[in-house]
Amino acid sequence: MYKMNTKITIIETGRADGIMSRTKRFYPEDYSQKQIDEEFKNTRTKIGKKYHFNGLHIIKPTQIELTKDKNKNFKDYIIVSKEMLNKKDYYYIDFYCDALVLPSTIKDVVLGHPEADCPILICEDRKKGFTALTHCGAVMINRGTIKNCIKALTEGCNSNKEDIYCYISNSIKKDSYIYDKYPPFATNKTIWKNAIKKHNNEYKIDLVLAIIEELHRLGITNIKENKEDTATSSKYYSHVKETQGDNSKKGQNFVGLYYI
């Protein structure tokens, strides 16, 4: 098969770039939300200069698990249009969906998502010029966010599966992601059949394998992964390591893309 060239640039930030979140617990206790938002804006601006994009032009999907407002009309996917980009700072535009799709016709916009262990899945239709992105937390994987990400392209953009190229970002790996019991989120037995293994009374969770096998079931074979482990690499923040007492890992990374 002819391997079409990518039309996107993928970026993955880490601890050296600063905290890519406006969540209060990542900042000094005496910071107001206004101070946090200003520092977060400065971080995005700095990262934008480093990676050659406008730090105020970042968009992201908001999944139902990641907002307190459950009354919104959540969609499987949304395809971005220029008319939707109606604020000075795009980060504050709400896209209530699993997967957000960026067309190649929209330049100087970064589609991405914060992460601190969970993989970000990027799916690019290199022929038609659309890229979908979703955040793959374990709960989201379990309920079908990967299926919605592919659906965003095949249904929303009329993509052919052989033209879709997927990238799985840096994330926590199975030797670092361990439960002392079978994880309660894993109710979809098909997804987790091979991705959760018991070893010495512990359960190792392989998020990347769960994603790859689900993509294969959906007919997607062009898949690349970043093998860096956010838990063990000094480059990245890690929620698991933070909860284990390592405050140097407290924060959020960012994974995103933009059209060249």
Side-chain angles (χ1 to χ4, degrees):
M1 181 185 296
Y2 173 65
K3 298 292 185 181
M4 292 178 287
N5 292 328
T6 183
K7 297 179 176 66
I8 61 174
T9 292
I10 295 174
I11 56 174
E12 297 179 75
T13 76
R15 293 169 60 210
D17 298 304
I19 295 170
M20 275 299 290
S21 171
R22 54 191 295 266
T23 301
K24 191 171 180 60
R25 72 182 184 84
F26 295 135
Y27 296 88
E29 290 183 5
D30 60 346
Y31 268 36
S32 66
Q33 191 62 53
K34 184 177 181 181
Q35 288 174 301
I36 291 170
D37 289 345
E38 188 62 28
E39 185 162 328
F40 181 48
K41 179 181 177 181
N42 291 338
T43 300
R44 287 183 287 133
T45 300
K46 180 182 71 173
I47 290 171
K49 288 180 179 178
K50 178 178 178 179
Y51 294 102
H52 312 295
F53 66 87
N54 187 335
L56 302 186
H57 287 186
I58 295 174
I59 58 174
K60 62 181 182 6
T62 298
Q63 295 162 306
I64 191 168
E65 293 88 354
L66 299 179
T67 179
K68 295 178 181 179
D69 190 352
K70 310 298 184 183
N71 295 318
K72 295 293 183 181
N73 180 25
F74 284 87
K75 299 180 179 180
D76 291 342
Y77 61 87
I78 294 174
I79 301 171
V80 178
S81 68
K82 291 181 180 179
E83 292 72 26
M84 295 176 182
L85 306 175
N86 53 13
K87 292 184 179 180
K88 183 177 180 181
D89 190 337
Y90 295 174
Y91 202 85
Y92 296 99
I93 301 172
D94 294 318
F95 295 97
Y96 293 106
C97 60
D98 254 358
L100 195 57
V101 181
L102 183 67
S104 59
T105 52
I106 299 180
K107 309 296 184 182
D108 193 32
V109 172
V110 170
L111 167 60
H113 203 286
E115 54 92 35
D117 280 331
C118 300
I120 305 300
L121 176 63
I122 296 171
C123 302
E124 179 191 7
D125 178 343
R126 295 184 178 179
K127 189 171 185 178
K128 289 192 167 66
F130 294 94
T131 301
L133 176 146
T134 192
H135 165 254
C136 294
V139 174
M140 294 79 161
I141 293 172
N142 186 76
R143 66 156 174 77
T145 195
I146 299 162
K147 186 179 295 184
N148 286 339
C149 196
I150 299 302
K151 178 182 174 183
L153 294 176
T154 57
E155 177 185 275
C157 306
N158 200 28
S159 298
N160 295 314
K161 291 181 179 181
E162 60 268 25
D163 299 330
I164 297 174
Y165 289 71
C166 294
Y167 178 77
I168 304 168
S169 75
N170 65 76
S171 63
I172 195 166
K173 308 306 180 189
K174 62 182 176 63
D175 289 332
S176 301
Y177 195 20
I178 300 171
Y179 271 49
D180 60 1
K181 60 181 180 181
Y182 191 85
F185 63 74
T187 59
N188 189 323
K189 301 303 181 184
T190 300
I191 285 178
W192 301 110
K193 179 181 178 181
N194 298 318
I196 297 177
K197 296 295 184 182
K198 187 177 182 180
H199 179 71
N200 293 335
N201 294 320
E202 294 180 326
Y203 292 85
K204 294 187 175 185
I205 303 159
D206 195 335
L207 298 177
V208 174
L209 180 61
I211 294 169
I212 291 173
E213 290 193 337
E214 181 72 343
L215 287 171
H216 285 166
R217 282 189 288 270
L218 295 168
I220 306 299
T221 58
N222 300 312
I223 306 168
K224 180 181 178 181
E225 65 167 298
N226 182 335
K227 295 183 181 295
E228 291 179 294
D229 188 337
T230 48
T232 59
S233 172
S234 61
K235 290 169 56 177
Y236 300 109
Y237 297 110
S238 167
H239 178 67
V240 166
K241 284 299 182 181
E242 179 202 344
T243 59
Q244 294 173 353
D246 186 349
N247 283 330
S248 71
K249 303 285 268 182
K250 184 178 181 179
Q252 283 195 303
N253 316 296
F254 177 81
V255 177
L257 66 103
Y258 61 89
Y259 273 95
I260 302 165

